[in-house]
């Protein structure tokens, strides 16, 4: 009684105390209480207490529901029947009480049925039990009907801590009871006030009704009731849910294909089509129209294969879906976009015509269908064009609304690409060009110029750029000529610039007699000075133009450098941001790549000059050099990284890096404490190494010497990922073996001293991540140096310590390293390393296996199961019966309360099968093992307490 009062008091504090900190304290206490064994009895007592207020009832019903779902195993087996009877009494008490409470109790009873077999439940199982209770206690039918509704939903609930085998069995039990449930629901139709609830329950049960034939359902009273309610405003939503489930039911993967479901399809489609007139009925409630539109969209998505035949009946559905697509509300019109995408695939892909016997018949049928659907897709292009028009009040809209508008444009762009895949790019372009010409023609030249339709048509033309042939000479020359005549309204100019960038490849292929590039460059420079948004579009377009038209620019470097210097200097009125200026750096870099070597060297110096000058000025500030914010360095160094990445002239870049090395060395020496600057500088060096390769010469030696020394002083992970690039480029070069051997020994030796416990890994996940990425690189590119090295065993020990790190990337890198080692040993080229690897892995094998099993069963998130399983499989492939022995011993440590003998035996058998080369079910078995051991917190704690993965690393084995 005292604890019950405490719960009431805590709830009163939680909901009504003025002090937030006091409310938070009460909340924590209540959460802790929910995990106690006392929560069962206290919650049950308070729910039966007539004096409990609504807050207490809701909290206790949620607690009891959660306890049944997750902690049922806490109770002794004899507690089941009293618990069931108590929950049923509560369900009767609240049959007309607060809906929230009744729902929680219903879910609790359903969860109880998942845990308990039909034999233990008695009365023929829960559905028969409900049937008996409905017959004898008709006054409680509303509550029992809610229980009947949640049963199928709970069948798929992974919140219930049931074993996978029991969950599958429960699904079968419910499926076999579907007809009984349908009979109960049919009887409940006699209660008019329960019709909505009956339809909701019927929709829920349809997901488990695969054993009921389509012909039976076609004439079933519940189906007839749902179809008749489609014209009832009161029951429309519930009826739509039923019909939607019925549509999905007719596309289930049963035997017989569509013909087996035709009796049901033939009554569903006419009833849905009968709703077409309501789509544009302005007097109807908006939510009702959405519900009806969803039915049409479901019908289109589900029957797309039948619709693709092009029959007269299917074209009626297509025209209805065009009507949905034309609805002024985007949320409604966009419901059809998925259908148009799948219809296009069905019509254009060859495998859709596999039933036809010859290529000639396939081509004939394909042409017939494309001809039939040509007009609907033309109409679709015209319909969606207006969807992308900027709203008049766009500038006044919230950031969220503006983001939604951009998503609309992306979605429409995808629809246009689908249309162009069916119609052909040129045919789609003609439709959109007519829209553009019409929009331009409707515009006056005064200040009220309506630019939105022009921009919309141009945006659509841009969206299909990849569908247009480079040989197109009819429409695109007119489009490009028109661009220069359009006003420089910011959003319109932004789209003009984006369109130029989108058609950069076509521009490069344009007929020589039409010199269109110079005026387009003028437009881009105008875009750079109009607004930040147009400048961003212009610089990106400039990058594309230079990439694809680089040969045309090779004689115009002076003009390009002029634009570049104005943009990065901030002078001349350009509105180019620091990030967007990087596109100009890329643009000039790709043009320089086309120059002869001597010219390229000079051009590269000019490109680097502003950045180098700025860095030298900062270095020249003496003591103040240390105080400069990192952003001022990274801003300039990232430009150099961009240059090294995009100037694809190894010798030229290597020469530039050699000249710049003293500058880099100074930054390395004086800013090594600065993580952001070091990351930026290492990235620049990485791209320099990647581009220059073997031309790096003496610079690479100086670079390796520097990063080795600095890593030992400052522990910056970026030195590791720079080393990864060096290993990739030079790992197989015998002349670099001495340098690389020293690098490997030092980097890994120092890292393993930093990562001595799982807490060290958690505190430094970036070092762990980059260390094991580097180790995997060593396995791939220089195993001769890495595997025999003295650091190899300690690196494996270190990996075992950190394998259960929760950081996603670091964990993946460690697991990948372990699997790479094992894969190497299992490969033909790795046989020569096998004795070394056996000496390292075998003494650690049992411990490693235990860590992997602990990781599968809860030490790592379930999202890591695939990677952990692969390591265990690779280990089993390497050491066969030894792993089976290790696994058998380890799995036996888990108490039978968490894992039964049968489940343990199934896991050991999967290991034995994998050891013999049969691993087809290996991953599935491990997933089930993981599911069982994670079914609730109590079980997970028991399993982890038994395996203790974090306590297995006290001493390294040498």
């Amino acid at each position: 009684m005292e604890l019950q009062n405490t719960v009431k008091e805590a709830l009163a504090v939680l909901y009504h105390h003025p002090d937030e900190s006091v409310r938070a304290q009460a909340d924590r206490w209540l959460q802790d209480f929910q995990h106690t064994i006392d929560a069962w009895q206290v919650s049950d007592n308070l729910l039966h207490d007539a004096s409990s207020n609504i807050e207490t009832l809701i909290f206790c019903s949620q607690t009891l529901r959660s306890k049944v779902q997750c902690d049922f195993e806490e109770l002794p087996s004899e507690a089941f029947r009293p618990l069931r009877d108590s929950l049923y009494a509560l369900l009767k008490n609240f049959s007309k009480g607060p809906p929230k409470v009744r729902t929680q109790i219903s879910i609790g009873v359903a969860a109880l049925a998942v845990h308990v077999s039909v034999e233990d439940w008695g009365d023929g199982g829960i559905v028969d039990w409900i049937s008996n209770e409905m017959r004898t206690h008709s006054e409680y039918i509303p509550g029992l009907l809610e229980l009947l509704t949640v049963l199928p939903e709970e069948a798929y609930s992974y919140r219930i801590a049931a074993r996978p085998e029991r969950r599958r069995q429960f699904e079968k039990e419910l499926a076999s009871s579907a007809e009984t449930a349908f009979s109960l629901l049919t009887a409940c139709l006699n209660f008019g006030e329960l019709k909505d609830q009956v339809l909701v329950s019927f929709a829920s049960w349809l997901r488990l009704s695969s054993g009921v034939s389509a012909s039976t359902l076609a004439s079933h009273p519940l189906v007839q009731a749902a179809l008749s309610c489609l014209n009832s405003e009161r029951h429309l939503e519930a009826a739509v849910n039923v019909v939607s489930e019925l549509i999905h039911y007719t596309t289930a993967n049963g035997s017989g294909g569509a013909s087996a479901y035709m009796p049901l399809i033939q009554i569903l489609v006419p009833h849905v089509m009968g709703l077409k007139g309501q789509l544009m009925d302005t007097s109807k409630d908006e939510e009702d129209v959405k519900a009806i539109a969803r039915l049409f969209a479901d019908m289109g998505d589900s029957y797309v294969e039948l619709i693709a035949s092009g029959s007269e009946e299917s074209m009626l559905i297509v025209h209805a879906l065009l009507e949905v697509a034309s609805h002024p509300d985007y949320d409604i019109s966009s419901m059809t976009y998925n259908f148009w995408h799948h219809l296009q695939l069905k019509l254009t892909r060859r495998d859709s015509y596999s039933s036809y016997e010859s290529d000639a018949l396939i081509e004939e049928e394909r042409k017939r269908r494309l001809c039939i659907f040509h007009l609907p897709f033309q109409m679709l292009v015209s319909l969606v064009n207006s969807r992308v028009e900027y709203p008049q009040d766009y500038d006044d809209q919230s950031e969220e609304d503006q983001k939604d508008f951009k998503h609309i444009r992306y979605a429409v762009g995808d629809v246009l690409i689908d249309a162009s895949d069916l119609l052909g790019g040129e045919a789609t372009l003609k439709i959109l060009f007519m829209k553009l010409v019409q929009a331009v023609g409707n515009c006056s030249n005064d200040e009220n110029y309506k630019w939105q339709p022009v921009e919309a048509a141009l945006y659509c033309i841009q969206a299909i750029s990849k569908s247009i042939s480079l040989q197109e000479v009819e429409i695109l020359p007119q489009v490009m000529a028109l661009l220069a005549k359009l006003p420089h309204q910011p959003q319109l100019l932004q789209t003009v610039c984006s369109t130029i960038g989108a058609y950069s490849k076509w521009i490069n292929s344009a007929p020589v007699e039409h010199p269109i590039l110079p005026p387009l460059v003028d437009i881009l420079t105008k875009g750079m000075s109009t607004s930040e948004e147009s400048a961003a579009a212009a610089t990106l377009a400039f990058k594309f133009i230079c990439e694809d038209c680089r040969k045309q620019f090779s004689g115009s470097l002076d003009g390009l450098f002029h634009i570049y210097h104005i943009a990065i200097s901030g002078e001349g009125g350009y509105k180019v941001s620091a990030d967007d200026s990087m596109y100009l750096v890329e643009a000039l870099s790709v043009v320089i790549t086309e120059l002869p070597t001597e010219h390229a060297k000079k051009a590269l110096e000019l490109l680097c000059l502003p950045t180098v000058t700025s860095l030298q000025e900062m270095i020249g500030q003496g003591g103040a050099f240390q105080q400069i914010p990192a952003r001022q360095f990274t801003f300039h160094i990232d430009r150099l990284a961009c240059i090294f990445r995009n100037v694809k002239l190894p010798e030229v870049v290597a020469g530039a890096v050699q000249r710049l090395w003293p500058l880099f060395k100074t930054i390395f020496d004086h800013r090594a404490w600065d993580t952001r600057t070091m990351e930026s500088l290492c990235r620049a060096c990485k791209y320099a190494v990647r581009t220059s390769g073997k031309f790096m010469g003496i610079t690479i030696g100086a670079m390796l010497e520097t990063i080795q020394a600095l890593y030992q002083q400052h522990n910056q992970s970026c030195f590791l990922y720079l080393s990864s690039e060096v290993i990739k480029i030079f790992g197989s070069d015998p002349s670099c073996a001495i340098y690389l051997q020293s690098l490997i020994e030092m980097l890994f030796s120092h890292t393993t001293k930093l990562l001595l416990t799982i807490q060290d890994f958690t505190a430094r996940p970036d070092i762990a991540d980059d260390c094991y990425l580097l180790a995997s690189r060593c396995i791939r590119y220089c195993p001769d140096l890495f595997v025999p090295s003295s650091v190899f065993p300690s690196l494996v020990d270190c990996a075992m310590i950190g394998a259960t790190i929760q950081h996603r990337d670091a964990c993946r890198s460690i697991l990948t390293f372990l699997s790479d080692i094992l894969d190497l040993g299992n490969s033909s080229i790795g046989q020569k390393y096998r004795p070394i690897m056996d000496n390292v892995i075998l003494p650690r094998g049992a411990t490693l296996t235990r860590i992997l099993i602990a990781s599968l069963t809860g030490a790592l998130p379930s999202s890591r199961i695939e990677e952990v399983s692969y390591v265990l499989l690779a280990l089993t492939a390497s050491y066969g019966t030894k792993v089976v022995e290790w696994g058998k011993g380890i799995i036996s440590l888990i108490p039978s309360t968490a894992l039964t003998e049968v489940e343990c035996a199934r896991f050991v058998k999967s290991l034995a099968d994998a050891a013999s080369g049969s691993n087809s079910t290996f991953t599935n078995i491990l997933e089930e093992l993981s599911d069982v051991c994670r079914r609730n917190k109590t079980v997970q704690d028991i399993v982890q307490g038994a395996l203790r993965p974090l306590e297995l690393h006290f001493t390294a084995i040498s």
Side-chain angles (χ1 to χ4, degrees):
M1 192 68 181
E2 183 180 343
L3 190 53
Q4 289 175 208
N5 291 332
T6 306
V7 170
K8 287 183 177 181
E9 290 166 8
L11 286 166
V13 170
L14 176 66
Y15 285 103
H16 305 293
H17 199 282
D19 189 329
E20 186 177 349
S21 63
V22 176
R23 291 200 304 273
Q25 188 177 355
D27 187 35
R28 284 192 297 273
W29 186 90
L30 288 166
Q31 288 184 42
D32 291 340
F33 161 77
Q34 288 180 309
H35 294 297
T36 65
I37 192 76
D38 292 324
W40 289 98
Q41 192 64 57
V42 170
S43 298
D44 186 67
N45 290 345
L46 288 172
L47 284 166
H48 283 282
D49 184 348
S51 66
S52 293
N53 62 20
I54 185 63
E55 292 157 354
T56 302
L57 293 174
I58 290 174
F59 172 79
C60 290
S61 62
Q62 289 173 338
T63 301
L64 201 53
R65 179 265 302 159
S66 178
K67 296 296 283 185
V68 175
Q69 285 179 325
C70 303
D71 301 322
F72 179 66
E73 292 179 5
E74 290 180 345
L75 300 176
S77 58
E78 60 270 18
F80 156 66
R81 201 161 293 277
L83 176 60
R84 187 191 76 172
D85 293 344
S86 179
L87 286 169
Y88 181 42
L90 290 170
L91 193 62
K92 290 191 287 187
N93 290 345
F94 293 105
S95 62
K96 296 181 180 178
K100 287 183 179 179
V101 177
R102 185 174 62 247
T103 298
Q104 295 300 309
I105 294 169
S106 297
I107 296 172
V109 177
L112 191 61
V114 178
H115 287 295
V116 179
S117 68
V118 169
E119 295 75 22
D120 289 338
W121 185 280
D123 303 313
I126 188 169
V127 177
D128 285 347
W129 177 77
I130 292 173
S131 177
N132 293 333
E133 294 299 324
M134 279 188 169
R135 280 199 300 271
T136 55
H137 300 287
S138 59
E139 69 274 24
Y140 300 129
I141 282 179
L144 290 165
L145 193 52
E146 180 157 7
L147 172 57
L148 195 64
T149 302
V150 300
L151 267 177
E153 296 166 359
E154 293 306 296
Y156 301 104
S157 172
Y158 279 82
R159 297 187 65 180
I160 300 174
R163 287 175 158 84
E165 189 175 344
R166 173 58 199 153
R167 190 178 288 114
R168 286 192 294 268
Q169 186 61 38
F170 183 69
E171 288 176 27
K172 290 178 183 177
E173 291 167 6
L174 284 194
S176 67
S177 301
E179 292 198 37
T180 303
F182 288 172
S183 297
L184 289 175
L185 293 172
T186 303
C188 290
L189 282 174
N190 295 321
F191 302 93
E193 70 278 8
L194 296 179
K195 184 173 282 188
D196 241 32
Q197 204 175 346
V198 168
L199 293 177
V200 169
S201 188
F202 181 41
S204 181
W205 273 92
L206 279 169
R207 294 161 206 162
L208 286 166
S209 61
S210 56
V212 183
S213 71
S215 56
T216 300
L217 280 176
S219 58
H220 202 284
L222 288 168
V223 174
Q224 299 302 319
L227 293 173
S228 66
C229 286
L230 287 175
N231 292 303
S232 161
E233 289 188 11
R234 180 182 173 188
H235 303 301
L236 177 65
E237 185 180 353
V240 164
N241 288 334
V242 171
V243 176
S244 179
E245 288 294 340
L246 287 167
I247 289 171
H248 294 152
Y249 167 85
T250 61
T251 58
N253 295 321
S255 58
S259 59
Y261 298 104
M262 202 53 71
L264 188 54
I265 294 173
Q266 286 172 340
I267 69 161
L268 293 177
V269 173
H271 276 86
V272 176
M273 291 297 291
L275 303 172
K276 180 181 172 184
Q278 299 183 40
L279 287 168
M280 296 298 176
D281 186 347
T282 55
S283 66
K284 284 197 74 67
D285 180 78
E286 183 182 345
E287 292 305 313
D288 288 348
V289 176
K290 282 184 179 178
I292 293 169
R294 178 163 64 84
L295 265 189
F296 278 96
D298 281 348
M299 187 168 64
D301 289 338
S302 300
Y303 303 145
V304 65
E305 192 163 346
L306 295 172
I307 293 169
S309 67
S311 65
E312 287 185 22
E313 295 84 356
S314 68
M315 295 313 293
L316 293 175
I317 299 175
V318 170
H319 287 108
L321 287 163
L322 276 172
E323 195 154 331
V324 177
S326 70
H327 197 281
D329 186 328
Y330 171 78
D331 289 339
I332 292 174
S333 64
S334 62
M335 290 179 187
T336 66
Y337 289 178
N338 200 47
F339 162 74
W340 301 113
H341 172 68
H342 287 113
L343 178 60
Q344 175 269 129
L345 293 178
K346 287 290 179 188
L347 294 169
T348 56
R349 286 188 175 175
R350 185 179 177 85
D351 57 11
S352 301
Y353 304 90
S354 57
S355 60
Y356 292 85
E357 296 176 357
S358 67
D359 288 348
L361 289 174
I362 287 174
E363 190 56 30
E364 182 182 345
E365 178 62 14
R366 184 173 175 276
K367 285 181 179 178
R368 183 189 75 81
R369 293 188 185 186
L370 290 179
C371 182
I372 289 172
F373 286 96
H374 204 83
L375 183 57
F377 272 88
Q378 284 181 327
M379 295 169 66
L380 180 65
V381 171
S382 295
L383 284 173
V384 299
N385 177 79
S386 61
R387 298 284 176 196
V388 299
E389 275 191 31
Y390 271 94
Q392 295 288 344
D393 62 345
Y394 178 80
D395 291 333
D396 299 324
Q397 287 184 350
S398 67
E399 186 177 343
E400 195 63 32
D401 286 342
Q402 291 184 354
K403 190 182 294 184
D404 288 344
F405 176 65
K406 288 179 180 177
H407 284 307
I408 291 172
R409 286 163 75 93
Y410 296 147
V412 168
D414 290 339
V415 173
L416 290 167
I417 291 169
D418 285 328
S420 63
D421 285 345
L422 185 134
L423 298 172
E426 284 70 17
T428 310
L429 180 62
K430 284 182 181 178
I431 298 171
L432 296 173
F433 181 63
M434 293 304 295
K435 293 280 185 183
L436 176 63
V437 170
Q438 182 183 352
V440 171
N442 289 340
C443 294
S444 57
N445 293 322
D446 59 20
E447 60 185 17
N448 295 319
Y449 184 93
K450 192 169 174 57
W451 57 270
Q452 287 90 345
V454 178
E455 189 280 336
L458 204 54
Y459 174 85
C460 294
I461 289 173
Q462 170 204 317
I464 63 165
S465 60
K466 291 182 180 177
S467 304
I468 308 301
S469 166
L470 298 181
Q471 284 71 48
E472 204 286 326
V473 293
E474 180 185 351
I475 304 296
L476 284 179
Q478 298 181 66
V479 173
M480 296 301 161
L482 188 60
L483 296 183
K485 300 174 184 175
L486 297 176
H488 296 151
Q489 193 280 336
Q491 280 111 332
L492 176 56
L493 184 56
Q494 180 182 350
T495 302
V496 168
C497 293
S498 296
T499 303
I500 294 171
Y503 284 95
S504 56
K505 286 183 170 59
W506 180 88
I507 292 167
N508 184 51
S509 304
V512 178
E513 61 269 20
H514 299 293
I516 62 174
L517 192 54
L520 296 181
V521 172
D522 289 341
I523 295 173
L524 296 182
T525 55
K526 183 63 182 176
M528 290 181 207
S529 59
T530 300
S531 70
E532 290 182 6
E533 290 77 14
S534 65
T539 51
L540 182 58
F542 205 86
K543 173 200 163 190
F544 292 143
I545 287 287
C546 285
E547 284 178 348
D548 294 319
C549 309
R550 60 182 74 181
K551 293 186 185 298
Q552 298 185 46
F553 279 114
S554 57
S556 313
L557 272 180
D558 289 345
L560 294 181
F561 271 111
H562 178 69
I563 294 170
Y564 169 66
H565 283 293
I566 292 175
I568 67 169
S569 67
E571 301 169 1
Y574 282 9
K575 295 178 169 30
V576 178
S577 69
D579 290 337
D580 292 330
S581 70
M582 210 65 74
Y583 293 133
L584 297 178
V585 177
E586 286 186 62
L588 278 163
S589 297
V590 295
V591 173
I592 289 173
T593 301
E594 294 298 314
L595 299 176
T597 301
E598 287 306 312
H599 290 162
K601 285 181 181 178
K602 293 176 182 176
L604 185 56
E605 285 184 33
L606 283 174
L607 187 58
C608 295
L609 184 60
T611 295
V612 172
T613 301
S614 297
L615 288 172
Q616 287 172 334
E617 287 174 356
M618 285 188 280
I619 290 171
Q621 294 181 26
F625 174 54
Q626 296 279 352
Q627 309 304 318
I628 296 172
R631 173 60 181 157
Q632 293 186 32
F633 278 100
T634 59
F635 173 74
H636 296 292
I637 296 170
D638 287 348
R639 280 187 181 157
L640 292 175
C642 183
I643 293 167
F644 297 155
R645 184 182 187 181
N646 291 285
V647 176
K648 304 295 185 184
L649 298 170
E651 198 168 357
V652 173
V653 171
V657 174
Q658 187 173 346
R659 290 190 299 274
L660 291 172
W661 177 248
L663 177 67
F664 288 179
K665 183 71 166 66
T666 302
I667 300 172
F668 270 129
D669 289 345
H670 292 89
R671 300 280 299 200
W673 52 269
D674 176 2
T675 301
R676 287 185 62 190
T677 300
M678 287 300 99
E679 287 177 348
S680 181
L681 188 52
C682 284
R683 189 162 48 247
C685 290
K686 178 183 78 170
Y687 288 127
V689 171
R690 184 178 294 178
T691 299
S692 302
K694 304 298 173 62
F695 288 101
M696 283 288 285
I698 60 171
T699 313
I700 193 67
M703 191 181 292
L704 293 179
E705 186 179 333
T706 298
I707 62 176
Q708 286 184 66
L710 293 178
Y711 181 58
Q712 293 179 84
Q713 295 173 45
H714 298 282
N715 306 327
Q716 300 277 22
S717 65
C718 55
F719 297 128
L720 294 171
Y721 76 64
L722 173 54
S723 301
S724 287
E725 194 65 35
V726 173
I727 292 293
K728 181 179 177 182
I729 302 298
F730 296 98
S732 57
D733 187 344
S735 66
C736 300
I738 296 175
Y739 279 114
L740 297 183
Q741 185 74 53
S742 171
L743 181 74
I744 289 170
E745 294 278 356
M746 189 287 300
L747 292 179
F748 290 135
S749 175
H750 184 68
T751 303
T752 54
K753 292 172 185 172
L754 295 175
L755 303 174
L756 298 173
T757 66
I758 189 64
Q759 289 78 15
D760 294 334
F761 275 84
T762 302
R764 290 172 163 167
D766 51 344
I767 287 182
D769 184 20
D770 288 317
C771 167
Y772 283 98
L773 285 173
L774 173 60
S776 287
R777 278 273 171 91
C778 290
I779 292 170
R780 293 186 187 95
Y781 294 101
C782 55
D784 287 341
L785 299 178
F786 178 63
V787 176
S789 70
S790 62
V791 295
F792 179 56
S794 58
L795 203 58
V796 174
D797 285 327
C798 193
M800 290 165 62
I801 294 170
T804 54
I805 184 174
Q806 301 301 296
H807 188 278
R808 183 184 61 185
D809 294 335
C811 181
R812 280 180 170 168
S813 296
I814 293 168
L815 295 173
T816 300
F817 163 73
L818 291 170
S819 61
D820 285 347
I821 291 172
L822 296 163
D823 286 344
L824 178 66
N826 292 332
S827 68
S828 57
I829 61 171
Q831 287 306 304
K832 61 182 178 180
Y833 311 115
R834 190 62 189 248
I836 298 173
M837 296 175 69
D838 288 350
N839 286 337
V840 172
I841 301 297
L842 283 173
R844 299 162 172 80
T847 303
L848 177 57
T849 304
R850 187 163 165 178
I851 292 168
L852 293 172
I853 293 173
S855 298
L856 286 167
T857 55
L860 286 176
S862 55
S863 56
R864 297 283 87 76
I865 290 175
E866 186 177 348
E867 289 100 327
V868 177
S869 299
Y870 185 82
V871 178
L872 185 56
L873 182 62
L875 185 67
T876 308
S878 295
Y879 299 107
T881 54
K882 289 187 179 297
V883 180
V884 178
E885 290 171 14
W886 297 332
K888 187 175 182 180
I890 291 158
I891 206 74
S892 67
L893 297 173
I894 300 175
S896 59
T897 53
L899 204 62
T900 65
E901 286 186 20
V902 172
E903 289 161 341
C904 290
R906 188 182 299 134
F907 168 72
V908 174
K909 184 179 183 302
S910 74
L911 281 181
D913 290 343
S916 64
S918 174
N919 55 30
S920 58
T921 62
F922 187 75
T923 302
N924 291 337
I925 297 295
L926 295 192
E927 285 177 353
E928 287 216 352
L929 175 71
S930 175
D931 194 1
V932 168
C933 292
R934 297 170 192 261
R935 62 187 186 271
N936 61 37
K937 188 177 183 302
T938 301
V939 170
Q940 190 165 337
D941 288 345
I942 290 171
V943 173
Q944 294 305 302
L947 299 181
R948 302 190 309 280
L950 301 182
E951 299 173 23
L952 302 178
H953 320 292
F954 290 118
T955 56
I957 306 166
S958 58

